[in-house]
Amino acid sequence: MKRLLGVINNKGKEQLLVSSGSFVGLVDSSQSEDFKAYAWQKELNKIKEVQDELFNFRLGPSSGALLESVIFNIFTYGERMKEVYIDNTYKSRFIEQKMCAKNPFEALEISEQICASFAFSHSCAFSRAIEEAFSINISDNVKIMRLILLEVERIFNHIYVISRLSSAAAQKVLTNHLIYLFDEILSLNKSFFGNRFLKNINSIGSIKYIPKMQMDVFVKKLESIVKEFSKLYNFSLKSHNYLDRLHNTGILTMDDFEMFNFDGPALKAINVSLDTRVYDEFFDNFKSVIEEGVDALSRMIVRAKEVFQSMMLIKQLLEKLQEYAPNSNINIEDDQKERSAIAFAESPSGTVYYYIELIGNKIDYIYAATPSMFLIKAIEKSLEGQIFTDFAFTVDSFGAFFADAAK
């Protein structure tokens, strides 16, 4: 399956950043006709004009119903949403431009500021691209530690998304318990790694040194939290009122995938996976969680099952982790050579891709394809035809962040 990850415009030349199976690379823009997603990616953040007879109900940029600054332009005749266009330019910080002319270590810190919830995924994808560009060898222990923390990031994100869904359904007791577990994991992160959202841990060619014994304790504490989540999740499945609110809400199909190229749990919920973990050497016979559904309920089930899967993967990775000495600092010399590289990391809501061009030890051009870029378009499509009371269920089920999309 092909995905158009972005339209690269640099030095007057347009190219397409494309993924297809294990291939990720640039192709000539003459192949744009192969991708239905080309049209909207050429005009990111441009709000479309809609027929005058529809009323534009504008939600945002500041509203108690929203966690981030964004405007939902909801075009409606009354109760049902006819068309929806999202203006997320309020979160635009031009981060890619700010990375240019910076050295890789400075740019790495900036990449972690794109989206706190996916900070470690961005850090991994960026550092992997730099390591590819400069042929920096990475030890197995660094690779394994990165994979473990990517799974930790997945667990706390998924629990948070499910708490948002239960909150929208007025399941207050369940919501409070889930938020407590979410915060417990963030507190664990702070205690063991120094940051609640796993920032300032990963570096180019290395990662923060954590003794093996300390990792054993961390994983045991995390497992106890996941066991509590399992009890809450199984209990929630007995609430027909809760499940009915998610069932047949925010429907997406494979035709929508072809148009908008989203991935992550949103795609897995329609029985298809593009999870890049299948290519990782440290995962033994990895199989993606998929569901034969098309709605918010299916997306929630995928996330819950991935929480349990991630815990299992962390324990398997921990067995492969060896006691190792603290990393030595990597030094990147300014040799004025031109380099480029592409790398990725699997975030909780889809794959993060980085395409980077360098001159010497300075960033010359960078493009980040984030999962929320595609999920924003999926949200717009899935809201069409829904009633206003289903708005929160639909939006929250995707686990998208407008900061991640706007960059």
Side-chain angles (χ1 to χ4, degrees), residues 246-259:
L246 302 178
H247 180 59
N248 281 338
T249 300
I251 292 174
L252 289 177
T253 67
M254 280 304 298
D255 288 339
D256 297 323
F257 165 76
E258 291 181 5
M259 180 60 69

Side-chain angles (χ1 to χ4, degrees), residues 224-327:
S224 69
I225 295 174
V226 170
K227 286 180 179 178
E228 287 300 311
F229 169 75
S230 178
K231 294 176 185 177
L232 292 169
Y233 173 67
N234 289 327
F235 178 78
S236 73
L237 296 180
K238 299 176 182 178
S239 173
H240 297 292
N241 179 59
Y242 174 41
L243 300 184
D244 285 346
R245 298 303 303 274
L246 302 178
H247 180 59
N248 281 338
T249 300
I251 292 174
L252 289 177
T253 67
M254 280 304 298
D255 288 339
D256 297 323
F257 165 76
E258 291 181 5
M259 180 60 69
F260 303 118
N261 284 182
F262 53 87
D263 69 333
L267 183 60
K268 294 171 184 175
I270 53 179
N271 205 28
V272 177
S273 175
L274 295 176
D275 196 316
T276 57
R277 289 178 291 174
V278 72
Y279 303 114
D280 198 287
E281 60 182 315
F282 292 101
F283 289 129
D284 301 323
N285 302 314
F286 176 84
K287 292 184 179 180
S288 296
V289 172
I290 54 176
E291 282 291 312
E292 294 184 3
V294 293
D295 54 15
L297 177 59
S298 298
R299 293 190 283 274
M300 187 270 283
I301 292 173
V302 167
R303 289 182 183 276
K305 289 183 177 180
E306 283 199 342
V307 168
F308 309 134
Q309 182 188 53
S310 290
M311 191 66 245
M312 178 189 69
L313 293 174
I314 289 170
K315 292 167 67 177
Q316 291 176 355
L317 290 166
L318 187 63
E319 292 179 358
K320 299 178 181 180
L321 186 66
Q322 303 296 317
E323 188 58 70
Y324 60 102
N327 302 291

